């Protein structure tokens, strides 16, 4: 199995609802350093997993919808906690939509899996992975 | 599949028995930077994998039993080599005991897997992963 | 010259005023991984720069006044941009106040300089350093 | 499942063929920081996955065949793109050959999997994993 | 004293002349992860050291003249070894030219120093710093 | 001013005397990831600060006297606390002795400063710097 990973980041504000979150129930923020991993069992005709330039560009586009914003104001997240792990799924799912729409090229149709990791600090991170 | 990881560390002395260990047969030591990963297929009612604060607290408690000690003097390790990989299993198993005892809350009963990685230097690390 | 550095972090929301900030004029947030460095020309009687446990504790206390908050609501920052570099100075100055108040012990009175670095992402950070 | 990882690096020149590579079609180069991971379900009689010293030595030997060279001149890569993901496979396969030849000792015959990750920069890396 | 640092990278081929370089006399390559640090004693009217967006843009432009190339073919480096430390100076000097030409804005005229660090691997890096 | 840094590590056991050290008064251990920085105002005839291969070799030799040992048993440290900052000085001074003895070559006689940083964990490190 092969994989390629690209890294980017976003800087957002948000708050959580639920006692489990303690002081994080207050409006605060985070830098999420985001790693998007693309997997496939075999390489394409160019001997690659995916066009890494386009992969980075699409990840940047997905993060561009979220960064420099207060996620509490985003209708997409109404009524749900934008935890690190939940955001990892959002980003993975949005990348999959783009792959399926052809944004990463025809070669990317050979991808079989994706994983997204969000690092919220030097001591905590979360991931979501799914099949394509 | 979702996962959340928390990082902490411990600083221990120990020695190894067996020619394969070369100079590490002498009493020496290590800082282990420890990453504990908690996995589950779906998020809980708070939209999280686990209460990250409690996860960090339990990891710290498990490491507190080991840090600032000479592991050669710990009866739990009598007659066995406390290699990085073996210690990863010890820490993972002790975390599982705590999860099963309810230390991470009822939500944590949805966890299906755990992985522990110990970084012994910038050029070597070891992991152990198991199901819950 | 000797130095000791301890690392901690904070997660805050804020916004900037001024065209130079572009989309960062919107309410957003950041994780700041914070490195506090303590300097002195000679070691103390215990052969250390500073009690590293107390240094970590005081840094954590200073960050505790800021983390999990919207800095736009903090009267201390009314009318000023809480840029990464400006926050580095705030944290350094607050650490110096604590050192001068004796929070790091008598030995810490031998400190001659302090530097604080805030990492806002994997590709940007800012520092402030001053004498004591 | 247990694993042990060792890190080393190589510095090579190469070029790519195919429009997808854009400016990387020109002769350029890369430092690849290489992580080789060895997996097995149980530890050996010494309580380890593999002799970490020999693992590091064999990884270094495999990289020694590639480093400080222009890969475009290496007959082993004639007519193929030496992408990061393709090189990960080359290194993994060469490590497997050595393991099977006994270079990591008899204990290493218990290894069941290997993974190789090549970091080409702070924002991109690729991996290949296979069974033994 | 304040500073702001931005990180980017370049991927180049080159070779060295001189016995001291050993196998690096052969054509090989490197990824240089490049940190550019901008210093000044006081913040500007926006409470910043420099417009970090423009700083990142100018660093990217300077690296764009070098990346994905064989430096042995660049007339600017005819007859000299493009060592990591020498390239750090080249990049710093080119950034200073841009600052002096106004590329970072009028505020950047308050900058008093610059430092450039090139990481050639996880175990080696080099820096050059100068006044403005 | 130019600098070149090389990284290596050592794994030692030790204990501290003095109430300030709390649980670190017990025999424990540490991995120290060690960065040795060599400075000079101008490059030598090869356009470098120092022969990086020899610098790495000498650092490795200095660390070889300490690694895989219990520093409490080393007569060189009798009666003193082998704190991270104190060990940074020991390593720096031993490197200077080697430089002055010619171990880094004649070119290295142009070095004007050295700095040594010991990382004891992901959240703490210490440095010592001196002139040559």
């Amino acid at each position: 199995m092969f994989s390629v990973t690209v890294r980017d980041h976003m800087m957002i504000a948000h708050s959580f609802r639920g006692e489990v979150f303690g002081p994080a129930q207050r409006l605060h923020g985070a830098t999420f350093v985001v790693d998007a991993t693309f997997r496939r069992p075999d390489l394409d005709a160019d001997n690659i997993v995916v066009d890494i330039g386009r992969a980075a560009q699409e990840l940047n586009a997905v993060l561009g919808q979220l960064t420099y914003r207060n996620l509490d104001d985003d209708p997409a997240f109404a009524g749900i906690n934008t935890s690190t792990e939940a955001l990892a799924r959002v980003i993975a799912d949005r990348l999959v939509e783009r792959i399926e729409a052809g944004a990463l090229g025809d070669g990317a149709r050979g991808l079989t899996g994706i994983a997204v990791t969000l690092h919220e600090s030097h001591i905590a991170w979360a991931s979501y992975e799914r099949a394509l």
Side-chain angles (χ1 to χ4, degrees), chain A residues 74-96:
Chain A
D74 187 329
F77 305 126
I80 65 162
N81 279 320
T82 52
S83 66
T84 310
E85 44 272 55
L87 288 171
R89 180 171 52 180
V90 167
I91 293 166
D93 288 347
R94 291 185 181 180
L95 283 169
V96 169

Side-chain angles (χ1 to χ4, degrees), chain A residues 105-117:
Chain A
D106 281 348
R109 294 187 199 278
L111 294 171
T112 57
I114 195 168
V116 171
T117 298

Side-chain angles (χ1 to χ4, degrees), chain A residues 10-17 21 23-32 69-73 77 80-85 87 118 120:
Chain A
M10 62 178 183
M11 303 179 82
I12 57 89
H14 64 165
S15 62
F16 295 127
R17 289 173 305 168
F21 295 102
Q25 293 175 85
R26 300 195 297 252
L27 182 63
H28 63 288
T31 304
F32 290 114
R69 283 179 180 82
N70 179 359
L71 299 187
D72 293 354
D73 294 338
F77 305 126
I80 65 162
N81 279 320
T82 52
S83 66
T84 310
E85 44 272 55
L87 288 171
L118 269 66
E120 69 175 62

Side-chain angles (χ1 to χ4, degrees), chain A residues 1 3 35 37-39 85 88-93 96 112-117 126-132:
Chain A
M1 178 64 68
S3 71
D35 299 335
T37 298
F38 305 87
R39 303 189 208 276
E85 44 272 55
R89 180 171 52 180
V90 167
I91 293 166
D93 288 347
V96 169
T112 57
I114 195 168
V116 171
T117 298
S127 297
Y128 174 71
E129 58 181 302
R130 54 164 282 190
L132 259 87

Side-chain angles (χ1 to χ4, degrees), chain A residues 17-71:
Chain A
R17 289 173 305 168
E19 276 181 40
V20 68
F21 295 102
Q25 293 175 85
R26 300 195 297 252
L27 182 63
H28 63 288
T31 304
F32 290 114
V33 175
V34 182
D35 299 335
T37 298
F38 305 87
R39 303 189 208 276
R40 62 189 296 167
D42 295 295
L43 299 181
D44 72 8
D46 289 311
N47 224 22
I48 57 174
V49 165
V50 70
D51 177 349
I52 199 169
R54 286 172 88 168
Q57 192 177 327
E58 292 305 312
L59 175 60
N60 191 261
V62 167
L63 299 185
Q65 298 166 340
L66 301 170
T67 194
Y68 292 125
R69 283 179 180 82
N70 179 359
L71 299 187

